[in-house]
Amino acid sequence: MKTAGLLGGMSWESTLEYYRIINQETKRLLGDTHSAKCLIYAFDFHEIERLQREGHWEKMTQLMVEEAMNLKKAGAQFIAICTNTMHRMAPDIEKETGLKVLHIADAAGEAIKKHGFSKVALLGTKFTMEGDFYRKVLMDNHGIETLIPEPEDREIVHHVIYEELIKGILSDKSRKAFINIIYKLSEKGAQGVILGCTEIPLLITDEFSPVPVFDTTRLHSEAIVKFAID
């Protein structure tokens, strides 16, 4: 089994889910008392959130590369970023460390193709929804078109993520708002919805969505285990 280097703490709630799912999946596949070989570096998300808000992406890239290098020195054989937004730095991390970065959008893309879908909605932070680093992977590697919410709906999704979900707050009002946004995107042709922020699955599951959901936390965690074992 290869040793995974996990860049986490963005937020700790979703990193906890990563660790749980990775170990459950390892035990499911290997049986007995097996658990995952992994190293975790957890950022103080307050620092990351401030840098995101102020637009200091070069500084964040530097921090991500430094900690990925530290994971490599500690014995990590590949890197996984336990959040969607910070995959913006994936190419830099891969280039500087020489380690494979297991991309979360590829994990989502493989699952979407298994459903036979070619057009899906994407919910996440504004950085993920409005940037091209995520949608480009889906289109270039998997031929999947991505729809994003209208500007006012993007503001709602972004606000709920940063003001509620990363603080562990789950609101019925926010869940209803997300369901309404997903419904509007499904009317535009979205066959499913990518929960492109690792906190969103805490609020939205298949039972609440008018179209199938793709939980990137679970899909990425399962891809990590598969890559480690293969």
Side-chain angles (χ1 to χ4, degrees):
M1 190 190 310
K2 291 186 283 291
T3 300
L6 308 179
L7 290 168
M10 302 171 285
S11 65
W12 71 261
E13 285 92 349
S14 60
T15 304
L16 177 65
E17 287 299 293
Y18 265 87
Y19 188 69
R20 181 182 63 80
I21 296 167
I22 287 169
N23 280 286
Q24 287 177 340
E25 185 69 2
T26 300
K27 184 176 181 179
R28 185 185 73 82
L29 293 175
L30 299 181
D32 200 23
T33 56
H34 282 287
S35 57
K37 294 171 66 177
C38 64
L39 300 164
I40 303 174
Y41 179 83
F43 287 92
D44 174 1
F45 190 56
H46 180 77
E47 180 182 6
I48 298 298
E49 188 274 331
R50 177 180 59 81
L51 292 171
Q52 288 178 340
R53 188 173 64 251
E54 295 173 357
H56 297 310
W57 293 99
E58 288 186 8
K59 176 62 176 176
M60 283 184 283
T61 300
Q62 178 187 345
L63 291 173
M64 294 284 282
V65 168
E66 286 176 358
E67 298 309 336
M69 284 297 299
N70 287 334
L71 288 171
K72 180 180 180 179
K73 291 173 185 176
Q77 294 169 282
F78 68 100
I79 299 294
I81 306 167
C82 300
T83 177
N84 286 267
T85 297
M86 301 300 272
H87 276 76
R88 177 170 174 165
M89 291 82 170
D92 296 282
I93 294 171
E94 201 161 64
K95 178 182 177 182
E96 295 299 324
T97 64
L99 295 178
K100 179 175 179 61
V101 175
L102 209 63
H103 206 291
I104 197 167
D106 282 322
E110 291 297 333
I112 293 164
K113 284 193 295 187
K114 287 180 181 177
H115 277 72
F117 296 165
S118 59
K119 183 185 292 187
V120 294
L122 172 65
L123 301 185
T125 66
K126 284 200 296 184
F127 314 118
T128 298
M129 291 185 289
E130 296 174 359
D132 67 352
F133 67 94
Y134 202 99
R135 290 182 286 164
K136 192 172 188 301
V137 170
L138 287 169
M139 176 54 73
D140 291 354
N141 295 356
H142 307 282
I144 295 166
E145 182 182 351
T146 311
L147 303 179
I148 61 172
E150 294 297 323
E152 62 272 20
D153 287 338
R154 295 201 294 269
E155 289 292 339
I156 292 170
V157 173
H158 188 84
H159 175 82
V160 169
I161 290 169
Y162 280 93
E163 298 303 321
E164 297 179 18
L165 297 182
I166 67 171
K167 298 177 182 179
I169 299 169
L170 302 178
S171 159
D172 284 337
K173 179 182 177 182
S174 296
R175 179 178 287 117
K176 289 176 183 175
F178 273 49
I179 293 169
N180 182 53
I181 292 167
I182 295 169
Y183 183 79
K184 285 190 280 186
L185 289 165
S186 72
E187 288 190 317
K188 294 181 178 180
Q191 299 162 295
V193 57
I194 299 172
L195 306 185
C197 169
T198 47
E199 282 78 27
I200 296 178
L202 301 173
L203 187 69
I204 296 293
T205 58
D206 267 313
E207 65 181 301
F208 297 114
S209 174
V211 293
V213 304
F214 295 93
D215 175 350
T216 54
T217 304
R218 174 164 291 281
L219 294 171
H220 198 207
S221 296
E222 291 173 351
I224 291 165
V225 175
K226 185 176 185 297
F227 185 80
I229 292 173
D230 288 348

